[in-house]
Amino acid sequence: MSRGDMIGAYAPWEFPLLASLVAGFLVVIPTYDLPSVYLKLALLIYVGVIIGSFLLTILLGVIFRPIVRLFSGGLGDELVVNLSMMGASIFTMVFAASPALYLVYHVWLYSNITATLISFLLLSLVSWLALRSIGRAFMTAAVLTAIFIALNYSLYSVLSLVHALYMHVLFRGGDPY
Protein backbone atom coordinates (compact mmCIF):
# COMPACT_ATOMS: atom_id res chain seq x y z
CA MET A 1 0.00 0.00 0.00
CA SER A 2 2.91 2.36 0.54
CA ARG A 3 3.70 2.40 -3.21
CA GLY A 4 0.18 3.38 -4.21
CA ASP A 5 -1.19 -0.08 -5.11
CA MET A 6 -4.71 0.80 -4.05
CA ILE A 7 -6.37 -1.93 -6.10
CA GLY A 8 -3.55 -4.43 -5.61
CA ALA A 9 -5.27 -5.99 -2.62
CA TYR A 10 -8.07 -7.49 -4.72
CA ALA A 11 -7.93 -10.90 -6.37
CA PRO A 12 -7.62 -10.78 -10.18
CA TRP A 13 -10.91 -12.63 -10.69
CA GLU A 14 -13.07 -10.28 -8.59
CA PHE A 15 -13.50 -7.51 -11.17
CA PRO A 16 -14.29 -9.86 -14.09
CA LEU A 17 -16.81 -11.78 -11.96
CA LEU A 18 -18.65 -8.61 -10.96
CA ALA A 19 -18.59 -7.35 -14.55
CA SER A 20 -19.95 -10.69 -15.79
CA LEU A 21 -22.83 -10.63 -13.31
CA VAL A 22 -23.73 -7.06 -14.32
CA ALA A 23 -23.38 -7.86 -18.05
CA GLY A 24 -25.67 -10.87 -17.67
CA PHE A 25 -28.21 -8.73 -15.86
CA LEU A 26 -28.06 -6.04 -18.56
CA VAL A 27 -28.60 -8.60 -21.32
CA VAL A 28 -31.50 -10.43 -19.67
CA ILE A 29 -33.35 -7.54 -17.94
CA PRO A 30 -35.80 -6.92 -20.83
CA THR A 31 -37.30 -10.39 -20.24
CA TYR A 32 -38.73 -9.64 -16.81
CA ASP A 33 -42.38 -9.75 -17.95
CA LEU A 34 -42.26 -12.88 -20.12
CA PRO A 35 -44.12 -16.13 -19.34
CA SER A 36 -42.38 -18.72 -17.17
CA VAL A 37 -41.31 -20.86 -20.14
CA TYR A 38 -39.36 -17.93 -21.53
CA LEU A 39 -38.01 -17.06 -18.10
CA LYS A 40 -36.36 -20.48 -17.94
CA LEU A 41 -34.75 -19.74 -21.30
CA ALA A 42 -33.72 -16.30 -20.02
CA LEU A 43 -32.11 -17.96 -17.00
CA LEU A 44 -30.10 -20.23 -19.30
CA ILE A 45 -29.10 -17.21 -21.37
CA TYR A 46 -28.12 -15.37 -18.18
CA VAL A 47 -25.83 -18.22 -17.09
CA GLY A 48 -24.34 -18.43 -20.58
CA VAL A 49 -23.71 -14.68 -20.67
CA ILE A 50 -22.06 -14.81 -17.25
CA ILE A 51 -19.71 -17.63 -18.26
CA GLY A 52 -18.92 -16.17 -21.68
CA SER A 53 -18.48 -12.66 -20.33
CA PHE A 54 -16.20 -13.89 -17.54
CA LEU A 55 -13.97 -15.74 -20.00
CA LEU A 56 -13.96 -12.80 -22.42
CA THR A 57 -13.05 -10.39 -19.64
CA ILE A 58 -10.20 -12.59 -18.41
CA LEU A 59 -8.81 -12.94 -21.96
CA LEU A 60 -9.16 -9.22 -22.58
CA GLY A 61 -7.39 -8.51 -19.28
CA VAL A 62 -4.51 -10.74 -20.37
CA ILE A 63 -4.28 -8.80 -23.63
CA PHE A 64 -4.37 -5.47 -21.76
CA ARG A 65 -1.73 -6.43 -19.18
CA PRO A 66 1.42 -5.58 -21.22
CA ILE A 67 -0.03 -2.19 -22.16
CA VAL A 68 -0.85 -1.37 -18.55
CA ARG A 69 2.62 -2.50 -17.49
CA LEU A 70 4.15 -0.19 -20.11
CA PHE A 71 2.32 2.86 -18.77
CA SER A 72 2.25 1.94 -15.07
CA GLY A 73 5.55 3.56 -14.22
CA GLY A 74 7.04 0.72 -12.22
CA LEU A 75 4.09 -0.07 -9.96
CA GLY A 76 3.57 -3.54 -8.54
CA ASP A 77 2.49 -6.63 -10.44
CA GLU A 78 -0.76 -6.83 -8.49
CA LEU A 79 -1.77 -3.32 -9.55
CA VAL A 80 -0.91 -4.06 -13.17
CA VAL A 81 -2.99 -7.24 -13.22
CA ASN A 82 -5.92 -5.70 -11.39
CA LEU A 83 -5.90 -2.52 -13.46
CA SER A 84 -5.91 -4.54 -16.69
CA MET A 85 -8.75 -6.73 -15.37
CA MET A 86 -10.66 -3.65 -14.23
CA GLY A 87 -10.23 -2.07 -17.66
CA ALA A 88 -11.48 -5.22 -19.35
CA SER A 89 -14.39 -5.34 -16.90
CA ILE A 90 -15.37 -1.76 -17.72
CA PHE A 91 -15.46 -2.55 -21.44
CA THR A 92 -17.47 -5.72 -20.83
CA MET A 93 -20.09 -4.01 -18.68
CA VAL A 94 -20.56 -0.93 -20.83
CA PHE A 95 -20.76 -2.85 -24.10
CA ALA A 96 -23.33 -5.18 -22.56
CA ALA A 97 -25.39 -2.01 -22.12
CA SER A 98 -25.17 -1.21 -25.87
CA PRO A 99 -28.62 -2.71 -26.57
CA ALA A 100 -30.10 -0.35 -23.97
CA LEU A 101 -28.33 2.54 -25.68
CA TYR A 102 -29.77 1.30 -28.97
CA LEU A 103 -33.24 1.88 -27.52
CA VAL A 104 -32.27 5.53 -27.05
CA TYR A 105 -30.60 6.19 -30.42
CA HIS A 106 -32.15 3.52 -32.70
CA VAL A 107 -28.79 3.34 -34.52
CA TRP A 108 -26.12 0.80 -33.60
CA LEU A 109 -23.27 3.11 -34.58
CA TYR A 110 -24.35 5.79 -32.10
CA SER A 111 -24.91 3.29 -29.32
CA ASN A 112 -21.44 1.78 -29.86
CA ILE A 113 -19.80 5.23 -29.99
CA THR A 114 -21.55 6.22 -26.77
CA ALA A 115 -20.49 2.96 -25.10
CA THR A 116 -16.91 3.56 -26.24
CA LEU A 117 -16.88 7.09 -24.85
CA ILE A 118 -18.37 6.00 -21.52
CA SER A 119 -15.80 3.19 -21.30
CA PHE A 120 -12.97 5.59 -22.12
CA LEU A 121 -14.08 8.08 -19.47
CA LEU A 122 -14.50 5.41 -16.78
CA LEU A 123 -11.17 3.82 -17.66
CA SER A 124 -9.46 7.22 -17.60
CA LEU A 125 -10.85 7.88 -14.14
CA VAL A 126 -9.84 4.48 -12.78
CA SER A 127 -6.40 4.74 -14.38
CA TRP A 128 -5.87 8.18 -12.89
CA LEU A 129 -6.90 6.96 -9.44
CA ALA A 130 -4.50 4.04 -9.68
CA LEU A 131 -1.55 5.69 -11.46
CA ARG A 132 -1.87 9.25 -10.08
CA SER A 133 -0.63 10.74 -13.33
CA ILE A 134 -2.94 12.39 -15.83
CA GLY A 135 -0.65 11.75 -18.79
CA ARG A 136 -0.09 8.07 -18.06
CA ALA A 137 -3.76 7.53 -17.24
CA PHE A 138 -4.87 9.18 -20.49
CA MET A 139 -2.37 7.20 -22.57
CA THR A 140 -3.37 3.94 -20.85
CA ALA A 141 -7.05 4.60 -21.45
CA ALA A 142 -6.50 5.73 -25.05
CA VAL A 143 -4.38 2.71 -26.03
CA LEU A 144 -6.70 0.20 -24.30
CA THR A 145 -9.71 1.82 -25.99
CA ALA A 146 -7.99 1.64 -29.38
CA ILE A 147 -7.17 -2.05 -28.83
CA PHE A 148 -10.74 -2.76 -27.79
CA ILE A 149 -12.13 -0.94 -30.85
CA ALA A 150 -9.81 -2.96 -33.09
CA LEU A 151 -10.89 -6.22 -31.45
CA ASN A 152 -14.55 -5.22 -31.73
CA TYR A 153 -14.15 -4.32 -35.41
CA SER A 154 -12.50 -7.66 -36.16
CA LEU A 155 -15.27 -9.47 -34.28
CA TYR A 156 -17.98 -7.61 -36.22
CA SER A 157 -16.15 -8.38 -39.46
CA VAL A 158 -15.98 -12.09 -38.69
CA LEU A 159 -19.63 -12.13 -37.60
CA SER A 160 -20.65 -10.37 -40.81
CA LEU A 161 -18.74 -12.92 -42.85
CA VAL A 162 -20.29 -15.83 -40.96
CA HIS A 163 -23.75 -14.29 -41.38
CA ALA A 164 -23.22 -13.80 -45.12
CA LEU A 165 -22.06 -17.39 -45.54
CA TYR A 166 -24.98 -18.66 -43.48
CA MET A 167 -27.49 -16.67 -45.53
CA HIS A 168 -25.90 -17.91 -48.76
CA VAL A 169 -26.19 -21.53 -47.68
CA LEU A 170 -29.68 -21.04 -46.25
CA PHE A 171 -31.30 -19.23 -49.15
CA ARG A 172 -29.30 -20.42 -52.15
CA GLY A 173 -29.35 -24.08 -51.23
CA GLY A 174 -25.59 -24.28 -51.42
CA ASP A 175 -23.63 -27.03 -49.80
CA PRO A 176 -21.41 -25.69 -46.98
CA TYR A 177 -18.79 -28.40 -47.58
Side-chain angles (χ1 to χ4, degrees):
M1 295 299 262
S2 64
R3 293 181 49 199
D5 291 353
M6 64 174 63
I7 61 172
Y10 296 101
W13 54 266
E14 290 178 13
F15 299 121
L17 180 63
L18 180 64
S20 300
L21 293 171
V22 171
F25 176 74
L26 289 172
V27 168
V28 178
I29 193 65
T31 63
Y32 70 93
D33 62 347
L34 293 176
S36 65
V37 175
Y38 295 115
L39 287 178
K40 291 176 185 175
L41 178 63
L43 181 62
L44 287 173
I45 292 171
Y46 178 72
V47 171
V49 168
I50 288 174
I51 292 169
S53 177
F54 181 75
L55 293 175
L56 177 71
T57 305
I58 293 290
L59 290 174
L60 199 57
V62 169
I63 292 170
F64 287 170
R65 187 174 177 203
I67 305 302
V68 172
R69 181 173 304 286
L70 180 68
F71 294 111
S72 69
L75 292 178
D77 287 337
E78 294 162 349
L79 175 74
V80 170
V81 169
N82 285 336
L83 188 57
S84 65
M85 291 298 173
M86 187 178 285
S89 299
I90 287 171
F91 283 117
T92 302
M93 284 188 300
V94 174
F95 274 91
S98 283
L101 293 171
Y102 177 77
L103 296 175
V104 173
Y105 295 119
H106 301 292
V107 176
W108 279 110
L109 179 65
Y110 295 151
S111 64
N112 285 337
I113 289 172
T114 304
T116 302
L117 289 175
I118 291 170
S119 299
F120 175 75
L121 292 174
L122 287 173
L123 188 58
S124 296
L125 178 66
V126 168
S127 297
W128 177 75
L129 289 172
L131 300 174
R132 296 293 184 193
S133 170
I134 292 174
R136 288 188 297 164
F138 178 76
M139 285 303 297
T140 302
V143 171
L144 292 183
T145 302
I147 290 171
F148 189 75
I149 289 171
L151 289 173
N152 244 359
Y153 179 74
S154 63
L155 175 70
Y156 283 138
S157 298
V158 168
L159 288 177
S160 296
L161 178 65
V162 168
H163 181 262
L165 289 173
Y166 175 74
M167 295 305 282
H168 174 72
V169 169
L170 184 66
F171 291 114
R172 306 251 189 224
D175 187 18
Y177 299 107

